[in-house]
Amino acid sequence: MNKLIIAAAAAGISTSVFAGLYGDTPDSRHAWAVHDRNRPNPVKVTAEPGLPPSDAVILFDGSEKTFANWCAKDGSPTKWKLVDGTLESVKGAGYIYTKQSFGDCQLHLEWAAPKKVEGVGQGRGNSGVFLMGMYEVQVLDSYETDPAKDPNPNPNYADGQASAVYAENPPLVNASRKPGEWQTYDIVFHQPVWKDGKLVWPGSITVFHNGVLTQDHWEMEGLTTHCKRRPLAPHATKLPLGLQDHGNPVHFRNIWIREIPSRYANTTHGGPAADENDVMALRGKTAARLFEKIDLNNASANTVNQILEVISYSKEEPFCSAAKKLCGEYLAQLEKMDDDALQANKGAIISVKKSYDVLWRNGMLKDCKLGKFVNDIVDKKGWMKKK
Ligand code: MG
């Protein structure tokens, strides 16, 4: 039980009605308070070890059915092969694409370079994961590539190694396993954001290769290219995921994807696109929702706490007038109480003081008769002194 619930219980306040002032209040960049119990909780997803999360789209699980999720670039059936529950690239068959389109995503897949080592550098176990069909995370047998050895047994350029954002950014480390062994990619991808033809955010790629972070939120510089730099350009917000045929029989298995919201779409609680208008609109909406639940004809510690919480979201009308009314009426009740009655209402009075404390420390209140009164009572009685 957290401190808020303990305090509310001591005050005889129904926690199902009063979520409570507790953490720092909303501000111009945050529609929610710290530890805000009015903030919607995340949707529940089951995630068993080794299995795709319950909300994942299964793109390939070794079955004929999921093999049919893929097609050639022109939409015709792919000439890649289904071999022992794996997807095998076929030389000359071309890239394959998902029939479904995706944008920002979390992607998991497993791949294995051919066990029989052939070729060198870019010619050895080359394939690729093409996010939105445009941004390549390189798949390559980079196991023997080792600049510490002289001569390097499999020389290659750094921005073309396994888990490189091809032609842009080498992996932080070489986490490659031997050819023929299964390797994992866990990728978090955010597409670039454009507004009125202008780039406002370049998007990013994060990659874990065999569980090791190899791309740390790399912000893309351009579309995947070879040799020449190619700037980012606007495109549809959902496009098929592609896998590359680069002439080597690379195998894939266990491919799943989860669509995720754009980081840039978050305009109401921090982040790069936090927008004061959106923040204030949501704060106003929350205030109105909470205001509806208050019994304005019943001034009490409970309704005072409720209206102070509403004020923490919005100081517009009719909230301020209602706060003045409830606080004034509750103060009048307290002023009439003798010592015994005040003692009997100790929990309720402390709860109101705590609500005021949160608003005060966040600069949301100045002079307030009720606040001063409950502060004085609590001080005088020593109710909150640490023993
Ligand atoms: Mg490639």
Side-chain angles (χ1 to χ4, degrees), residues 4 40 109 113 125 146 164 168 171 180 193 200 217 246 261 267 275 291 318:
L4 167 69
L109 60 83
D146 188 349
E168 277 193 19
V193 177
V200 292
H217 196 75
H246 200 282
T267 60
D275 181 285
F291 186 66

Side-chain angles (χ1 to χ4, degrees), residues 126-128 136 138-139 244 246:
N126 194 337
S127 181
E136 183 184 16
Q138 174 71 309
V139 168
Q244 186 184 39
H246 200 282

Side-chain angles (χ1 to χ4, degrees), residues 285-315:
K285 218 169 140 183
T286 307
R289 178 164 57 83
L290 297 176
F291 186 66
E292 270 181 19
K293 296 177 183 168
I294 304 176
D295 179 359
L296 298 174
N297 295 314
N298 179 17
S300 66
N302 194 12
T303 51
V304 164
N305 283 323
Q306 286 179 301
I307 195 67
L308 293 181
E309 186 183 27
V310 167
I311 293 294
S312 77
Y313 292 101
S314 171
K315 291 170 96 172

Side-chain angles (χ1 to χ4, degrees), residues 48-70:
E48 299 298 330
L51 293 176
S54 57
D55 62 347
V57 175
I58 310 299
L59 294 176
F60 182 70
D61 64 4
S63 65
E64 290 270 3
K65 192 181 162 201
T66 53
F67 183 66
N69 286 336
W70 301 81

Side-chain angles (χ1 to χ4, degrees), residues 236-253:
T237 54
K238 288 197 179 194
L239 288 165
L241 170 74
L243 296 176
Q244 186 184 39
D245 160 28
H246 200 282
N248 305 125
V250 176
H251 290 77
F252 292 88
R253 71 178 186 187

